């Protein structure tokens, strides 16, 4: 699965919105370093978080068990499975939030905003 990723901090710094339909177009044009924006491949046995780590990135996490939401990502395109989730509400899942620590791609392409734990909508979940 091919993943295009973007750090939420960039969105905050630049005054962008996660709901901007051209978010990834803007990111592609912004000449951002690999840690902030780019593409990576997820192998079939990797969770999204593991794939990022195995490519040398340090995406946030804590429990690795679906209970803290530190690893949360916002799904702009594609689908991630969620075998363990005891922290995100149904409304938050419907809105597009997933846990990268146990999120396995269900589509060939994904677009995700990672590091969204400080997004106001998720802030109340922070432990
Ligand atoms: Fe805690 Fe993913 S690291 S829910």
């Amino acid at each position: 699965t091919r993943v295009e990723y973007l750090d939420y901090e960039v969105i905050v710094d630049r005054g962008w919105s996660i709901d901007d339909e051209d978010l990834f177009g803007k990111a592609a044009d912004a000449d951002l370093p690999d840690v902030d924006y780019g593409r990576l491949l997820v192998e079939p046995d990797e969770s999204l978080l593991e794939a990022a780590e195995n490519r040398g990135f340090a995406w946030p996490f804590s429990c690795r068990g679906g209970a803290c939401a530190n690893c949360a990502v916002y799904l702009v395109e594609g689908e991630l499975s969620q075998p363990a989730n005891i922290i995100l509400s149904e409304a938050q899942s419907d809105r597009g939030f997933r846990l990268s620590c146990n999120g396995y791609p269900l589509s060939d392409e994904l677009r995700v905003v990672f590091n969204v734990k400080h997004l106001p909508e998720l802030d109340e979940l922070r432990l």
Side-chain angles (χ1 to χ4, degrees), residues 56-89:
F57 298 117
W59 290 14
F61 70 92
S62 179
C63 73
R64 290 184 178 271
C68 75
N70 278 310
C71 68
V73 297
Y74 178 66
L75 212 52
V76 174
E77 208 177 293
E79 189 49 275
L80 265 187
S81 71
Q82 202 75 109
N85 167 29
I86 56 171
I87 183 84
L88 294 180
S89 69

Side-chain angles (χ1 to χ4, degrees), residues 25-44:
K26 283 181 175 161
D29 290 341
D31 202 21
L32 296 165
D34 278 357
V35 288
D36 291 339
Y37 164 79
R39 290 185 168 80
L40 59 84
L41 284 176
V42 184
E43 301 296 336

Side-chain angles (χ1 to χ4, degrees), residues 25 30 32 93 96 102 105 126:
L32 296 165
S93 293
N102 68 88
R126 211 145 30 95

